[in-house]
Amino acid sequence: MPVTGQRVVRRALGRRLTRLRTASGMSRRDVVEARLGISEPTLHRIETGKVPVTGANVRALCWLYNADQSITDALADLALGTSQQEWWDASPVIPEWFKLYVGLEASASRMFGYDGEIVPGELQTPEYARAIFGAEQPADSEMAERHINLRMQRQKTLFARTPAVRLVTVLGEGALIRPVGGEQVMKGQIEHLRRLSTQDAVDIRVLPFTVGAHAAMAGAFRILEFDDPDDPDVVYLESHVGALYLEEQVEVDEYRRVFDLITRDSVPVAEFA
């Protein structure tokens, strides 16, 4: 799948440029000493996907690294996307730390997630989302509606993709029995989950309380996988004030192991009473 969104393009381009520099045997200090007009802090931000990159800088770096013309042209074209915004990039409602996730979600080929207490945003009904935001920000209904509209837009984008993204979600039983918004809201939310689970690419499961202790008791997480080998798989961990993105292979593999264990103990949402 093509990368989507400026933050994801920056991330992909930064990895490719880092790989070229490493293959050339050069350090960041060596690049600075080549007097390309790129400082070491700027190079660090380019390689870690923190800033837009000009085609001229990409071509200069590729020249320094002795990259061939086809690679140079491809990376220079990729640089154009490092400043192009998607709808989530321009939104003042979405926190900066979450915008990278939205871009990654829009590019992922497969998504695996566990939530023990809440139905995740991509699976929520508007009524359920409204109850969640009302609990977090009870005095700001206007802001809540803006968040809900953006959440619904995110869902529409996700489920309209072709080919469809493979989505597997394990929910703790607590996420389905807590009466968020009241009995009717929860009834509608569970029916929505059951409808979504009939899609070929969607698998929604429930981890019953009767399982007892389980491997994911440390908390919620998402695993995003990408077909592009230059875009590594990511584990996403979220808090109230920020997020952590894990990319080391050993870290991703550990979360895959945990997800496999809880999936084994879960049941399809359609079978959950």
Side-chain angles (χ1 to χ4, degrees), residues 119-129 132 152 155 171 175-176 180 182-196 204 269:
V119 175
E122 65 270 17
L123 303 178
Q124 292 175 3
T125 64
E127 296 77 16
Y128 182 95
I132 293 295
M152 295 305 108
Q155 288 183 15
L171 300 173
L176 298 187
V180 173
E183 182 178 346
Q184 288 305 309
V185 170
M186 283 308 301
K187 180 179 179 181
Q189 177 63 71
I190 292 172
E191 290 175 351
H192 180 62
L193 293 174
R194 287 173 172 159
R195 283 195 300 271
L196 286 175
I204 301 172
V269 68

Side-chain angles (χ1 to χ4, degrees), residues 160-177:
R161 285 176 48 191
T162 303
V165 60
R166 173 63 172 159
L167 179 65
V168 184
T169 299
V170 176
L171 300 173
E173 183 174 346
L176 298 187
I177 66 171

Side-chain angles (χ1 to χ4, degrees), residues 199-224:
Q199 298 181 28
D200 291 340
V202 178
D203 185 8
I204 301 172
R205 308 181 66 83
V206 181
L207 189 64
F209 284 141
T210 53
V211 168
H214 60 83
M217 295 181 75
F221 62 90
R222 311 276 179 90
I223 305 170
L224 297 93

Side-chain angles (χ1 to χ4, degrees), residues 20-137:
L20 286 175
R21 177 176 60 77
T22 302
S24 72
M26 303 186 75
S27 67
R28 286 178 179 156
R29 173 52 53 184
D30 293 331
V31 175
V32 173
E33 292 176 352
R35 299 187 181 278
L36 299 178
I38 301 174
S39 68
E40 191 164 353
T42 297
L43 182 60
H44 171 75
R45 289 192 288 269
I46 288 173
E47 291 187 346
T48 54
K50 299 294 193 303
V51 294
V53 190
T54 66
N57 277 346
V58 168
R59 290 186 181 279
L61 290 169
C62 286
W63 169 80
L64 185 64
Y65 303 151
N66 292 316
D68 66 36
Q69 193 61 47
S70 63
I71 291 176
T72 299
D73 291 342
L75 296 188
D77 287 344
L78 193 59
L80 296 174
T82 64
S83 57
Q84 292 177 346
Q85 291 191 333
E86 294 284 355
W87 63 265
W88 57 84
D89 290 312
S91 172
V93 177
I94 301 177
E96 285 299 315
W97 52 262
F98 189 62
K99 288 180 179 179
L100 174 58
Y101 175 81
V102 179
L104 292 172
E105 179 183 79
S107 301
S109 302
R110 294 165 296 279
M111 296 170 52
F112 307 92
Y114 167 72
D115 278 280
E117 290 291 323
I118 187 172
V119 175
E122 65 270 17
L123 303 178
Q124 292 175 3
T125 64
E127 296 77 16
Y128 182 95
R130 189 169 291 111
I132 293 295
F133 282 114
E136 294 177 351
Q137 305 287 342

